[in-house]
Amino acid sequence: MNPIKILDILPEKMTKTHNKLFKEIRFDWNKEEILEILNMPLIDLMWESQIVHRKFNKYNIQLASLFSVKTGGCEENCSYCSQSIYSASEIKSHPQFQVEEVLARAKIAKNEGADRFCMGWAWREIRDGKSFNAMLEMVSGVRDLGMEACVTAGMLTEEQATRLADAGLTAYNHNLDTSPEYYKNIITTRTYQDRLDTIKRVRNAGINVCCGGIIGLGETNGDRASLLEVLSNMNPHPESVPINSLVAIEGTGLEDNQEIDSIEMIRMIATARILMPKTKIRLSAGREKLSKEAQILCFQCGANSIFYGDELLTTSNPSFQSDRKLLKEVGVSFNKDFETCKKTLSSL
Ligand code: SAM
Ligand code: DTB
Ligand code: SF4
């Protein structure tokens, strides 16, 4: 049905909200407006977000596979992370994988239907030298496979960003994680401004920005709105916004945090979709705790990408096969190339 037709039959109050939301892509959202959206009656929020999603996007889901190229031993103290040297989790450090090994993993992901390959380094920042040169080779190797390449490796300099752009990097992932106000409760070894500066360097180098956050850190709804305010006031908006829900890992500072309700994830995704209509909203960590139905509601409210593959960085994720089954049930295409997608689906 044409959404404009639905608008015609809306009660007056809802039409007003709608006009406000619908007018254009905005970069001036404020916290109060965002909180109002985040706290809307759920049914209205789901409906509003779906209309925005259908207006601005095709209904497909991007599949991004993730690989931890360098695991553990990170000097930052992010209290949710098993890879930090401050964490008592039993995660085994692993030296950086070789270029060939990484590209072999990218090929497997491609054969499974992924069209983006994201590579993670447990680093505070990128340092020049052999490891960085290998990263550049990995990026161009992934691009040669016809996939999008994303890297997440901490802070970087202008020059490093330019070299990554020259190697063909599609996107750099650097999350703000939470609100500027709550940030100090989660990480103290770097500042919010450090994160913003890195994101700016990525943007200036012409690389797409992948920047999101985590819910379940103990933050309030106000903090969630505040994080979304920072993201939606970036102009242009980040091309990709991962919404993670905390995977409470034993030995990390947040191991005892209470699990968040799936409805909160749905609200966060729906609100992100309304604020940033064209951005890829990635339903990220924590999917194993979501029922099939909750994930479907996330897709309906505008999530249009998932991390696809049995593993995230150090924790597990739904299997390739179960995700393909889910997407088949939902009936959305999951690859840019619809024919390839249909072939993969029919071979299930
Ligand atoms: N070291 C780099 C950095 O922090 O930018 C890259 C890797 S880091 C693991 C990537 C992102 O994963 C973090 O910014 C955080 O948002 C998310 N993440 C890490 N551990 C998580 C957890 N236990 N639960 C949910 N999200 C997590
Ligand atoms: C993002 O926002 N989430 C991904 C990716 N970017 C790098 C990482 C999730 C990590 C979950 C915990 C783990 O596996 O260690
Ligand atoms: Fe290091 Fe990234 Fe983990 Fe923070 S989230 S401790 S920067 S690997």
Side-chain angles (χ1 to χ4, degrees):
M1 199 190 298
N2 180 344
I4 305 302
K5 287 262 157 52
I6 304 175
L7 271 179
D8 293 340
I9 54 163
L10 283 176
E12 198 198 332
K13 185 164 170 273
M14 261 174 103
T15 312
K16 258 195 225 148
T17 324
H18 227 307
N19 288 339
K20 201 169 71 180
L21 298 173
F22 242 150
K23 236 168 64 190
E24 60 199 16
I25 296 188
R26 287 176 49 190
F27 303 93
D28 62 350
W29 294 98
N30 66 53
K31 187 174 166 184
E32 287 64 40
E33 289 175 299
I34 298 173
L35 255 181
E36 211 178 293
I37 298 173
L38 204 51
N39 292 330
M40 253 188 209
L42 185 63
I43 291 293
D44 294 342
L45 177 59
M46 291 193 324
W47 186 82
E48 298 276 8
S49 59
Q50 205 194 25
I51 289 180
V52 172
H53 191 37
R54 282 195 182 265
K55 182 179 159 87
F56 286 96
N57 303 295
K58 287 195 180 130
Y59 249 89
N60 60 17
I61 307 281
Q62 185 188 47
L63 302 183
S65 286
L66 190 54
F67 183 62
S68 184
V69 177
K70 155 73 179 70
T71 306
C74 181
E75 297 146 12
E76 300 277 22
N77 70 352
C78 312
S79 48
Y80 49 76
C81 185
S82 57
Q83 304 197 66
S84 161
I85 52 171
Y86 297 85
S87 133
S89 57
E90 300 209 339
I91 183 74
K92 267 206 185 141
S93 289
H94 192 289
Q96 177 160 320
F97 277 91
Q98 301 292 313
V99 176
E100 302 69 40
E101 293 171 291
V102 174
L103 294 182
R105 297 294 287 248
K107 261 185 217 154
I108 295 172
K110 184 182 174 176
N111 290 340
E112 296 284 353
D115 65 358
R116 179 163 168 130
F117 194 65
C118 306
M119 296 166 276
W121 275 259
W123 285 348
R124 175 168 203 270
E125 72 235 312
I126 296 181
R127 290 178 195 151
D128 291 335
K130 254 169 69 181
S131 301
F132 181 46
N133 294 340
M135 179 192 288
L136 296 170
E137 275 187 59
M138 290 170 201
V139 167
S140 49
V142 169
R143 299 294 284 135
D144 289 345
L145 291 173
M147 302 176 88
E148 293 185 3
C150 179
V151 161
T152 180
M155 294 181 267
L156 44 58
T157 63
E158 246 176 64
E159 198 200 326
Q160 288 161 346
T162 306
R163 289 183 69 194
L164 281 165
D166 291 345
L169 187 68
T170 314
Y172 195 84
N173 167 240
H174 202 65
N175 290 342
L176 288 169
D177 286 342
T178 189
S179 66
E181 308 83 77
Y182 195 64
Y183 190 79
K184 59 181 178 308
N185 299 297
I186 303 299
I187 302 142
T188 56
T189 50
R190 56 162 198 257
T191 64
Y192 212 73
Q193 193 56 48
D194 288 333
R195 286 309 254 194
L196 292 168
D197 292 345
T198 297
I199 293 158
K200 205 167 185 185
R201 287 184 205 113
V202 168
R203 175 62 76 208
N204 289 344
I207 299 167
N208 285 352
V209 171
C210 173
C211 180
I214 311 179
I215 61 171
L217 300 175
E219 75 288 346
T220 61
N221 246 5
D223 290 311
R224 290 176 194 170
S226 208
L227 166 66
L228 290 172
E229 183 185 22
V230 178
L231 294 171
S232 63
N233 277 252
M234 290 180 184
N235 188 357
H237 291 150
E239 283 74 14
S240 154
V241 169
I243 306 288
N244 297 278
S245 84
L246 176 73
V247 181
I249 305 171
E250 218 180 300
T252 63
L254 302 185
E255 64 179 345
D256 294 327
N257 274 30
Q258 219 186 332
E259 208 174 289
I260 63 133
D261 195 294
S262 53
I263 300 293
E264 296 185 58
M265 193 64 171
I266 294 164
R267 284 189 177 280
M268 192 69 183
I269 284 181
T271 307
R273 168 53 65 223
I274 291 168
L275 305 179
M276 296 169 281
K278 285 186 170 175
T279 290
K280 281 243 149 50
I281 306 293
R282 207 177 302 278
L283 174 56
S284 301
R287 257 187 334 112
E288 276 192 326
K289 289 271 163 69
L290 293 181
S291 69
K292 179 169 90 173
E293 291 78 8
Q295 291 186 65
I296 292 172
L297 287 178
C298 289
F299 297 144
Q300 188 151 16
C301 292
N304 55 355
S305 176
I306 54 172
F307 283 116
Y308 174 61
D310 309 359
E311 278 184 343
L312 292 167
L313 293 172
T314 67
T315 62
S316 59
N317 195 44
S319 69
F320 281 126
Q321 227 192 348
S322 66
D323 274 342
R324 281 203 297 262
K325 188 164 172 279
L326 170 69
L327 294 175
K328 188 179 183 187
E329 272 179 318
V330 176
V332 292
S333 64
F334 58 82
N335 203 311
K336 275 190 216 142
D337 179 349
F338 190 60
E339 285 311 309
T340 316
C341 161
K342 273 200 300 199
K343 242 188 261 164
T344 317
L345 284 175
S346 60
S347 69
L348 279 174

